[in-house]
Amino acid sequence: MKIRMLPVSQQEMLRAAAWYDKRSMGTGDRFLDGVRAGLVAIKEFSGAAPSIGEPYRRKILADFPYGQIFRLDGDTAVIVAVAHLKRRPRYWKRRR
C-alpha cells in the first residue's frame, strides 16, 4: 500500500504541529511522530481503520484529538485531512 497526502492535509498537519510547539516545546514533534505512526498503521492495516461513510476511513492519533481521514484509491491510501476531531465535523468531505 502506498500513501499519498493531499497538500492541504500536509498544511493542516504542519499547522497543528506548530500550534502544539507554541504551547509546549517538543509537543509538535510528538504530534508529528503520532502522524507518522498513523501513516505506518494505515499503510500496513488500512482495512482495520473504521469507515466513517463510504469511501472514507479514519485513523485516530494516539495522545491527540486528531484523526487522519483517508480513502482508498486502488493500492494507494489518500490522506484527505489531518483533522481535529472536535472541530468542524466533515469539513473535508468536499476534497478530492
Side-chain angles (χ1 to χ4, degrees), residues 6 10-11 21 35 42 44 47-48 53 65 67 71 78 81 85-86 90:
L6 296 181
Q10 291 175 336
Q11 293 169 355
D21 253 349
V35 170
I42 291 169
E44 293 180 10
R71 71 177 188 277
V78 179
L85 299 175
K86 304 284 185 188
R90 301 196 183 274

Side-chain angles (χ1 to χ4, degrees), residues 3-18:
I3 300 285
R4 183 170 65 90
M5 188 176 261
L6 296 181
V8 68
S9 301
Q10 291 175 336
Q11 293 169 355
E12 287 174 332
M13 174 189 68
L14 295 175
R15 274 196 309 267

